[in-house]
Amino acid sequence: MEAKQKLESLLDELSKVNKLPRLSAAARDVDRIIELLSEAREQIAGPMDPHTASLTMAKLQNPIKTAFDKVNDDLKAASSAHKKLGKALDKNFPLKQLPTDNEITESHLPMVNRAIAMHLLREGQFGVASTFIAEAQTKNPPAASPDFDEPMEEDEDDDTDADGTPGLTISTDDDDDADLSSLHSQELQDKFAEMYRILQQLKAKNLLPAIDWARQNSAELEARGSNLEFDLSKLQYVWLFKGPAVNALPDDELNGRAGALAYARAHFSRFQARHLREIQRLASAMVFAPNLAASPYHDTFSIATAFSDVATSFTREFCSLLGLSAESPLYLAVTAGALALPRLMKYMLATRSKGTEWTTAGELPFETPLPESMLFHSIFVCPVSKEQTTADNPPMVIPCGHMLAHETLQKLCKGNRFKCPYCPSEGLMRDARRVIL
Ligand SMILES: [Zn+2]
């Protein structure tokens, strides 16, 4: 509640600032001065007697002075508006020292830099990425390993004229994973440039580049159990089926229902083994073409989100073939960290005031509530033993539906029977089932 109020008052301040004068007024006035001066120059340059020239100059004096004063006033007003916003920010977000002792960015700088560079590349910010990599490398040159086989000069030569792009070195040295030069940034940039080119086409409702890509990578995609190539081809069929009135493609034999049929004949045979039923549905829809909306096929042909859906799965598959997750890990880590921060701060302050310390390394003593999309590894903590289940001590579900760790269940067992610690029902050990998370 308090945070909401803070945010509201801050938005209030921001709307006030939006109304305040800004530098555009000053820029306009400077333009006016330039105009005055240019006019005067043209007059003097033209054929006229010296007397008129000096008169023109004299006439300039006052307007120019007033204009300069106005520019100064504009600048003052804009800078005071900035100061007001700064004060509002300071008031609402007072500087708080984070109660952490380990400065992760110092001890793992190369890794942090690598994560940032990777994030920029995968977000398509290629210019920013290459500047970042170049600057990170000049500020923190990777330490030369003592057992380097070749002399340094030779290595430097190789790097500088590799492809003429400063800062984007493709190094074949994979020894140090945290090193920026092992990022293969040029290769990654090329890959992501391709991804963004295809995504842009998808946004413009052109499926063909994405279909080409999926076809080129069909073996890998199929090995992953991906239906991307078929989903794209299916959408292409539906898209053509809708005809020029919807898809705005040329009204010829390659468009409309005839075009869709021709497309299906040319391309669908390769999907028959896996998607026969779906292909049959698509073909049967032809019969209902005059009134698709009332047909059993209207679902397949409603394409409100179809293009953004295939764009999402295309991004996911493209990244996974590169061995990357669909979401930027840096984005996930920072977002999850920001969500966890309030609890972490509370905990740190509490332990500091009590002088106690949590000793288990690499683990926090409290749970961080994260949205489902950020949960990757399900864990189960036995409610009786309070231990996290493992492969050796897996979670078990008992007939009443409660879950316990395997070891806990064994301890509860008397003979072959046990009594659930949460409800009075009894069960047999053989009825307990292992839960796979
Ligand atoms: Zn129970």
Side-chain angles (χ1 to χ4, degrees), residues 193-208:
E194 188 191 3
M195 184 178 96
Y196 281 105
R197 182 182 59 79
I198 296 173
L199 279 174
Q200 218 156 33
Q201 291 295 314
L202 275 179
K203 221 177 190 175
K205 308 266 162 87
N206 177 11
L207 291 153
L208 298 177

Side-chain angles (χ1 to χ4, degrees), residues 398 400 402 420 422-423 425:
I398 52 181
C400 59
H402 285 116
C420 173
Y422 288 92
C423 60
S425 64

Side-chain angles (χ1 to χ4, degrees), residues 277-352:
R277 236 187 85 78
E278 193 74 4
I279 293 170
Q280 282 168 344
R281 275 176 63 84
L282 289 170
S284 318
M286 282 285 172
V287 184
F288 289 89
N291 194 11
L292 257 186
S295 80
Y297 303 107
H298 70 270
D299 273 357
T300 319
F301 284 80
S302 71
I303 53 163
T305 60
F307 279 92
S308 66
D309 289 350
V310 290
T312 309
S313 43
F314 166 76
T315 310
R316 194 178 53 231
E317 300 300 345
F318 195 101
C319 289
S320 80
L321 290 198
L322 290 178
L324 303 169
S325 60
E327 280 273 25
S328 156
L330 183 63
Y331 168 79
L332 274 180
V334 170
T335 314
L339 289 174
L341 208 51
R343 286 186 180 222
L344 183 66
M345 287 183 73
K346 218 176 194 178
Y347 165 76
M348 294 296 259
L349 291 173
T351 48
R352 189 162 293 175

Side-chain angles (χ1 to χ4, degrees), residues 45-237:
M48 59 161 66
D49 60 274
H51 177 68
T52 336
S54 62
L55 193 69
T56 314
M57 292 297 278
K59 264 192 194 162
L60 264 182
Q61 242 172 22
N62 266 337
I64 293 287
K65 191 183 173 301
T66 336
F68 267 114
D69 288 346
K70 201 153 181 307
V71 171
N72 277 330
D73 287 346
D74 295 336
L75 289 176
K76 258 185 221 155
S79 93
S80 95
H82 285 153
K83 267 186 204 145
K84 264 188 195 159
L85 179 65
K87 268 186 197 150
L89 281 170
D90 287 345
K91 202 177 103 198
N92 285 286
F93 295 110
L95 190 65
K96 257 190 225 167
Q97 206 67 43
L98 288 180
T100 57
D101 299 323
N102 34 4
E103 188 52 75
I104 197 87
T105 48
E106 262 168 38
S107 49
H108 294 289
L109 191 60
M111 265 164 116
V112 174
N113 280 344
R114 192 188 155 95
I116 294 172
M118 191 71 188
H119 175 81
L120 291 170
L121 283 171
R122 56 183 302 153
E123 295 295 308
Q125 303 277 350
F126 303 134
V128 187
S130 80
T131 309
F132 176 81
I133 292 171
E135 286 184 6
Q137 275 171 338
T138 42
K139 272 184 201 151
N140 308 285
S145 35
D147 55 343
F148 218 66
D149 292 338
E150 291 157 359
M152 275 310 277
E153 304 90 30
E154 215 173 288
D155 188 59
E156 268 172 14
D157 269 350
D158 286 348
D159 277 351
T160 41
D161 53 18
D163 56 0
T165 334
L168 289 168
T169 344
I170 311 171
S171 159
T172 45
D173 176 18
D174 272 329
D175 289 349
D176 182 7
D177 271 352
D179 184 4
L180 273 175
S181 58
S182 71
L183 193 60
H184 303 287
S185 54
Q186 186 62 53
E187 262 174 79
L188 274 174
Q189 175 171 337
D190 293 346
K191 288 278 180 195
F192 281 115
E194 188 191 3
M195 184 178 96
Y196 281 105
R197 182 182 59 79
I198 296 173
L199 279 174
Q200 218 156 33
Q201 291 295 314
L202 275 179
K203 221 177 190 175
K205 308 266 162 87
N206 177 11
L207 291 153
L208 298 177
I211 294 175
D212 278 346
W213 179 86
R215 192 157 301 162
Q216 278 161 29
N217 295 282
S218 66
E220 290 97 323
L221 288 172
E222 219 160 290
R224 280 177 40 81
S226 161
N227 290 334
L228 181 67
E229 191 189 351
F230 179 65
D231 288 344
L232 288 165
S233 306
K234 193 176 105 180
L235 185 57
Q236 175 70 5
Y237 173 89

